[in-house]
Amino acid sequence: MTQLELITALADTGQILAAAERVGMTQPAASRLLAQLQDSVGTPLFERHPRGVKLTEAGDILARGAARMLNDLDLTQERIAQTVQGASGFARIGSVTGPSLQWLLPVVRELRDELPGIELVIHVETSAKLARSLLSRELDFYIGRVPEGADSRPFLFEPLRTEPISLLVRQDHPLTRLEAPTLDDCLRYEWVMQPSGGLLRQTIESYLISQGYRAPERVLGTTSILFTLAFVQDADAVAPVASAVADFYTRETHLGGRLEILDVAPDLQVETYGLVRRAQDELPPAAEHVHTRLLEMSADPDGPPT
């Protein structure tokens, strides 16, 4: 078991000392165990270089198999504990911003009453960051997309919905005084959105070009929805955000109703998002509860509750 933990840690760290520290032993002890493991496999598992070690092809195969075996043992132990103690456990779930409010929030509310023994940790990030966290086993699954250009083989994707986008401004913005504001009107002001390369930014710019417009001339780039909302409240700026986020923050109960959605570009939306998990792994029981509930919600033609 320790040898399996060591080779997995070595794959993650590329350093024998760091792998030894992760497993909780000295470097000489780790080196002996890795040497024994190489002898039993019958082929070199890693090669030394000035900055540490690099796994051979055989070592990489063994490390990936060891990671799956260790994960399966953890799941087995958790399932046994659930059988003995009832519904409990720990689930680490990620989401892009809009679906975190539209899908995860109602599920968390339900599970708090139905299964109070489950502890949930929610990470809200971009799909690219969530994908990296998923592959490094920091997340059980996430709601989002497989990043463009990524190797899709490690992922299992179950589609949920497309993501509509709304244009958000402060309530007393000059655009709110127009009877029927247009995209041309909006483009006279500064826009607050993702930095170049982000999916939302690319979607906005492609949409504008398809409608015969240029991209906004003045853009404040940020990945923070909190900064976006704070800036929009104090400036004559336009912020394209997920409609679920816009709906949430324009209710009178949130931010004092000081934000307003413009009735512009109702067909603006980002490509389909869904549930993303590791293709080769079973979900831990607690995460499986959440995943199953989300799939049940997706089957509802009325969609998730608001």
Side-chain angles (χ1 to χ4, degrees):
M1 185 69 67
T2 305
Q3 289 173 326
L4 295 180
E5 292 173 344
L6 264 176
I7 194 67
T8 303
L10 194 62
D12 291 340
T13 65
Q15 301 280 341
I16 293 179
L17 177 59
E21 289 174 346
R22 180 181 294 189
V23 177
M25 62 173 57
T26 64
Q27 181 173 351
S31 296
R32 284 195 299 272
L33 283 179
L34 288 170
Q36 292 171 5
L37 183 60
Q38 283 195 135
D39 289 343
S40 25
V41 173
T43 188
L45 299 177
F46 58 89
E47 299 170 345
R48 297 181 185 271
H49 59 79
R51 295 184 179 180
V53 298
K54 177 178 175 56
L55 294 186
T56 62
E57 184 177 0
D60 184 60
I61 293 171
L62 180 60
R64 284 187 279 114
R68 286 194 296 270
M69 291 173 62
L70 292 168
N71 186 64
D72 287 345
L73 288 173
D74 288 341
L75 288 177
T76 300
Q77 185 175 6
E78 189 171 340
R79 290 182 188 279
I80 291 172
Q82 277 202 316
T83 301
V84 175
Q85 301 172 4
S88 62
F90 186 75
R92 303 159 302 172
I93 301 162
S95 179
V96 293
T97 305
S100 70
L101 297 176
Q102 192 174 13
W103 294 81
L104 278 182
L105 193 56
V107 166
V108 169
R109 288 171 179 155
E110 290 181 5
L111 291 179
R112 279 287 174 258
D113 296 329
E114 296 175 11
L115 300 169
I118 290 181
E119 181 179 348
L120 298 175
V121 175
I122 308 297
H123 297 262
V124 180
E125 275 291 358
T126 63
S127 288
K129 291 183 178 180
L130 293 172
R132 289 195 294 269
S133 295
L134 181 71
L135 294 180
S136 64
R137 301 182 179 276
E138 297 169 30
L139 293 175
D140 297 313
F141 71 89
Y142 69 87
I143 305 177
R145 303 164 184 86
V146 176
E148 185 177 358
D151 182 359
S152 62
R153 289 174 296 180
F155 301 99
L156 179 63
F157 178 81
E158 297 169 276
L160 291 176
R161 297 283 193 279
T162 56
E163 187 173 17
I165 301 300
S166 297
L167 301 183
L168 198 63
V169 296
R170 60 182 171 86
Q171 200 168 59
D172 56 348
H173 192 289
L175 288 169
T176 64
R177 297 192 284 272
L178 298 179
E179 184 175 344
T182 65
L183 276 173
D184 194 42
D185 296 322
C186 295
L187 288 169
R188 295 191 178 100
Y189 296 91
E190 184 174 16
W191 285 45
V192 189
M193 53 184 175
Q194 285 180 337
S196 296
L199 177 62
L200 178 58
R201 175 75 170 265
Q202 292 175 343
T203 300
I204 297 296
E205 293 178 346
S206 297
Y207 179 85
L208 289 170
I209 291 170
S210 72
Q211 300 296 313
Y213 298 98
R214 291 183 177 181
E217 291 185 4
R218 291 187 298 152
V219 176
L220 173 63
T222 177
T223 58
S224 169
I225 187 62
L226 180 60
F227 186 90
T228 298
L229 296 172
F231 186 83
V232 167
Q233 285 186 81
D234 296 323
D236 286 343
V238 177
V241 299
S243 294
V245 175
D247 292 340
F248 183 84
Y249 283 107
T250 53
R251 297 175 195 166
E252 290 186 1
T253 52
H254 301 105
L255 291 181
R258 289 179 290 170
L259 299 173
E260 187 168 327
I261 298 172
L262 296 174
D263 186 14
V264 177
D267 57 339
L268 181 56
Q269 61 183 16
V270 186
E271 67 186 47
T272 301
Y273 61 82
L275 301 175
V276 187
R277 54 187 286 192
R278 290 183 296 275
Q280 301 299 321
D281 293 347
E282 288 187 50
L283 288 172
E288 192 170 10
H289 277 297
V290 185
H291 191 273
T292 299
R293 183 68 191 107
L294 289 167
L295 286 177
E296 291 171 352
M297 285 171 56
S298 72
D300 185 343
D302 295 329
T306 57

